[in-house]
Short mmCIF file of all heavy atoms in Angstrom, two decimals:
data_model
loop_
_atom_site.label_atom_id
_atom_site.label_comp_id
_atom_site.label_asym_id
_atom_site.label_seq_id
_atom_site.Cartn_x
_atom_site.Cartn_y
_atom_site.Cartn_z
N THR A 155 -7.13 7.84 -9.72
CA THR A 155 -7.09 9.05 -10.40
C THR A 155 -6.81 10.29 -9.51
O THR A 155 -6.06 11.17 -9.83
CB THR A 155 -8.39 9.25 -11.21
OG1 THR A 155 -8.69 8.09 -11.95
CG2 THR A 155 -8.31 10.49 -12.09
N SER A 156 -7.37 10.20 -8.35
CA SER A 156 -7.10 11.31 -7.34
C SER A 156 -7.33 10.67 -6.02
O SER A 156 -7.88 9.66 -5.81
CB SER A 156 -8.04 12.52 -7.57
OG SER A 156 -9.43 12.16 -7.47
N GLY A 157 -6.88 11.43 -4.94
CA GLY A 157 -7.01 10.97 -3.50
C GLY A 157 -5.72 10.29 -3.10
O GLY A 157 -4.70 10.14 -3.81
N ALA A 158 -5.81 9.76 -1.88
CA ALA A 158 -4.59 9.20 -1.25
C ALA A 158 -4.97 8.00 -0.43
O ALA A 158 -6.00 7.89 0.16
CB ALA A 158 -3.80 10.18 -0.38
N VAL A 159 -3.97 6.92 -0.31
CA VAL A 159 -4.09 5.88 0.53
C VAL A 159 -2.88 5.87 1.46
O VAL A 159 -1.72 6.02 0.98
CB VAL A 159 -3.98 4.52 -0.37
CG1 VAL A 159 -4.12 3.32 0.67
CG2 VAL A 159 -5.26 4.48 -1.26
N ARG A 160 -3.19 5.79 2.72
CA ARG A 160 -2.07 5.82 3.74
C ARG A 160 -2.14 4.62 4.64
O ARG A 160 -3.17 4.13 5.08
CB ARG A 160 -2.06 7.09 4.59
CG ARG A 160 -1.56 8.32 3.80
CD ARG A 160 -1.57 9.53 4.69
NE ARG A 160 -2.88 10.00 4.97
CZ ARG A 160 -3.61 10.84 4.25
NH1 ARG A 160 -3.04 11.27 3.16
NH2 ARG A 160 -4.83 11.23 4.57
N PHE A 161 -0.93 3.97 4.81
CA PHE A 161 -0.82 2.85 5.75
C PHE A 161 0.02 3.22 6.99
O PHE A 161 1.17 3.57 6.73
CB PHE A 161 -0.24 1.71 5.08
CG PHE A 161 -0.03 0.41 5.95
CD1 PHE A 161 -1.13 -0.25 6.41
CD2 PHE A 161 1.25 -0.07 6.19
CE1 PHE A 161 -0.93 -1.27 7.28
CE2 PHE A 161 1.40 -1.26 6.96
CZ PHE A 161 0.31 -1.83 7.48
N ARG A 162 -0.57 3.33 8.14
CA ARG A 162 0.12 3.70 9.35
C ARG A 162 0.78 5.09 9.13
O ARG A 162 1.94 5.31 9.45
CB ARG A 162 1.20 2.76 9.87
CG ARG A 162 0.50 1.44 10.21
CD ARG A 162 1.35 0.59 11.18
NE ARG A 162 0.71 -0.59 11.60
CZ ARG A 162 -0.20 -0.64 12.66
NH1 ARG A 162 -0.39 0.39 13.31
NH2 ARG A 162 -0.80 -1.76 12.99
N GLY A 163 0.11 6.04 8.45
CA GLY A 163 0.53 7.42 8.26
C GLY A 163 1.47 7.55 7.08
O GLY A 163 1.76 8.67 6.67
N ARG A 164 1.86 6.49 6.42
CA ARG A 164 2.74 6.57 5.28
C ARG A 164 1.93 6.57 3.93
O ARG A 164 1.07 5.73 3.77
CB ARG A 164 3.65 5.36 5.26
CG ARG A 164 4.71 5.30 4.13
CD ARG A 164 5.69 4.23 4.34
NE ARG A 164 6.64 4.20 3.24
CZ ARG A 164 7.69 3.34 3.22
NH1 ARG A 164 7.88 2.54 4.20
NH2 ARG A 164 8.44 3.42 2.19
N ASP A 165 2.15 7.48 3.02
CA ASP A 165 1.51 7.52 1.76
C ASP A 165 2.01 6.39 0.87
O ASP A 165 3.13 6.36 0.52
CB ASP A 165 1.69 8.85 1.08
CG ASP A 165 0.84 9.04 -0.08
OD1 ASP A 165 0.31 8.12 -0.85
OD2 ASP A 165 0.42 10.21 -0.38
N ILE A 166 1.06 5.51 0.56
CA ILE A 166 1.45 4.26 -0.32
C ILE A 166 0.53 4.35 -1.62
O ILE A 166 0.67 3.43 -2.38
CB ILE A 166 1.13 3.02 0.42
CG1 ILE A 166 -0.35 2.77 0.80
CG2 ILE A 166 1.99 2.91 1.66
CD1 ILE A 166 -0.71 1.40 1.31
N THR A 167 0.02 5.52 -1.94
CA THR A 167 -0.78 5.63 -3.15
C THR A 167 -0.16 5.04 -4.42
O THR A 167 -0.89 4.40 -5.19
CB THR A 167 -1.21 7.10 -3.35
OG1 THR A 167 -1.80 7.66 -2.02
CG2 THR A 167 -2.33 7.17 -4.41
N ALA A 168 1.14 5.33 -4.61
CA ALA A 168 1.74 5.09 -5.88
C ALA A 168 2.76 3.89 -5.60
O ALA A 168 3.53 3.46 -6.52
CB ALA A 168 2.56 6.20 -6.41
N MET A 169 2.68 3.20 -4.51
CA MET A 169 3.71 2.21 -4.06
C MET A 169 3.25 0.86 -4.80
O MET A 169 2.18 0.55 -4.84
CB MET A 169 3.72 2.06 -2.60
CG MET A 169 4.85 1.00 -2.15
SD MET A 169 4.68 0.88 -0.29
CE MET A 169 5.43 2.45 0.10
N PRO A 170 4.30 0.18 -5.45
CA PRO A 170 3.98 -1.06 -6.02
C PRO A 170 3.57 -2.24 -5.10
O PRO A 170 3.73 -2.09 -3.76
CB PRO A 170 5.32 -1.51 -6.75
CG PRO A 170 6.32 -0.75 -5.99
CD PRO A 170 5.71 0.47 -5.59
N VAL A 171 2.88 -3.20 -5.62
CA VAL A 171 2.13 -4.29 -4.83
C VAL A 171 3.26 -4.97 -3.88
O VAL A 171 2.81 -5.10 -2.74
CB VAL A 171 1.54 -5.23 -5.76
CG1 VAL A 171 0.93 -6.38 -4.87
CG2 VAL A 171 0.41 -4.70 -6.59
N HIS A 172 4.27 -5.30 -4.35
CA HIS A 172 5.23 -6.07 -3.55
C HIS A 172 5.75 -5.29 -2.37
O HIS A 172 6.00 -5.82 -1.36
CB HIS A 172 6.46 -6.62 -4.43
CG HIS A 172 7.36 -5.50 -4.85
ND1 HIS A 172 7.18 -4.83 -6.00
CD2 HIS A 172 8.59 -5.16 -4.39
CE1 HIS A 172 8.17 -4.01 -6.14
NE2 HIS A 172 8.99 -4.23 -5.26
N ARG A 173 5.99 -3.96 -2.54
CA ARG A 173 6.38 -3.18 -1.41
C ARG A 173 5.23 -3.03 -0.35
O ARG A 173 5.65 -3.04 0.81
CB ARG A 173 6.83 -1.82 -1.92
CG ARG A 173 8.30 -1.89 -2.66
CD ARG A 173 8.68 -0.44 -2.94
NE ARG A 173 8.92 0.32 -1.79
CZ ARG A 173 9.05 1.58 -1.63
NH1 ARG A 173 8.92 2.27 -2.80
NH2 ARG A 173 9.28 2.26 -0.58
N ARG A 174 4.06 -2.98 -0.83
CA ARG A 174 2.97 -2.87 0.12
C ARG A 174 2.87 -4.23 0.96
O ARG A 174 2.53 -4.28 2.16
CB ARG A 174 1.69 -2.65 -0.57
CG ARG A 174 1.63 -1.35 -1.29
CD ARG A 174 0.28 -0.95 -1.81
NE ARG A 174 0.34 0.05 -2.85
CZ ARG A 174 -0.60 0.89 -3.23
NH1 ARG A 174 -1.69 0.97 -2.57
NH2 ARG A 174 -0.37 1.71 -4.21
N THR A 175 3.05 -5.31 0.28
CA THR A 175 3.08 -6.68 0.98
C THR A 175 4.24 -6.75 1.97
O THR A 175 3.96 -7.13 3.10
CB THR A 175 3.26 -7.72 -0.09
OG1 THR A 175 2.17 -7.67 -1.07
CG2 THR A 175 3.27 -9.14 0.55
N ALA A 176 5.38 -6.21 1.68
CA ALA A 176 6.48 -6.25 2.51
C ALA A 176 6.16 -5.41 3.80
O ALA A 176 6.66 -5.61 4.91
CB ALA A 176 7.74 -5.74 1.81
N LEU A 177 5.33 -4.30 3.63
CA LEU A 177 4.93 -3.45 4.69
C LEU A 177 4.06 -4.08 5.68
O LEU A 177 3.90 -3.75 6.86
CB LEU A 177 4.38 -2.12 4.19
CG LEU A 177 5.31 -1.10 3.67
CD1 LEU A 177 4.53 0.07 3.14
CD2 LEU A 177 6.41 -0.62 4.68
N GLY A 178 3.21 -5.09 5.15
CA GLY A 178 2.41 -5.85 6.05
C GLY A 178 0.84 -5.89 5.57
O GLY A 178 0.02 -6.16 6.29
N LEU A 179 0.64 -5.56 4.32
CA LEU A 179 -0.67 -5.69 3.65
C LEU A 179 -0.83 -7.06 3.01
O LEU A 179 -0.05 -7.42 2.14
CB LEU A 179 -0.94 -4.59 2.63
CG LEU A 179 -1.41 -3.22 3.16
CD1 LEU A 179 -0.32 -2.49 3.82
CD2 LEU A 179 -2.00 -2.43 2.00
N GLY A 180 -1.79 -7.78 3.52
CA GLY A 180 -2.10 -9.16 2.92
C GLY A 180 -3.45 -9.15 2.41
O GLY A 180 -4.40 -8.62 2.99
N ARG A 181 -3.68 -9.79 1.23
CA ARG A 181 -4.95 -9.67 0.58
C ARG A 181 -5.35 -10.99 -0.13
O ARG A 181 -4.55 -11.70 -0.69
CB ARG A 181 -4.76 -8.54 -0.46
CG ARG A 181 -6.27 -8.27 -1.21
CD ARG A 181 -6.14 -8.53 -2.72
NE ARG A 181 -7.43 -8.38 -3.33
CZ ARG A 181 -7.68 -7.38 -4.27
NH1 ARG A 181 -6.68 -6.63 -4.63
NH2 ARG A 181 -8.76 -7.44 -4.79
N THR A 182 -6.59 -11.40 -0.02
CA THR A 182 -7.20 -12.53 -0.74
C THR A 182 -7.97 -11.95 -1.87
O THR A 182 -8.24 -10.73 -1.98
CB THR A 182 -8.20 -13.47 0.12
OG1 THR A 182 -9.31 -12.71 0.52
CG2 THR A 182 -7.38 -13.93 1.38
N PHE A 183 -8.41 -12.86 -2.77
CA PHE A 183 -9.23 -12.31 -4.05
C PHE A 183 -10.43 -13.04 -4.12
O PHE A 183 -10.73 -14.12 -3.58
CB PHE A 183 -8.30 -12.63 -5.21
CG PHE A 183 -6.97 -11.85 -5.34
CD1 PHE A 183 -5.86 -12.30 -4.61
CD2 PHE A 183 -6.86 -10.50 -6.05
CE1 PHE A 183 -4.73 -11.55 -4.70
CE2 PHE A 183 -5.74 -9.93 -5.95
CZ PHE A 183 -4.60 -10.29 -5.32
#
């Protein structure tokens, strides 16, 4: 709703999941 998420200085707050994965974020559930 508010605030920001940055990965290596890049704002990814509104970035879709697949693009974050391509940047190098991997996640388990």
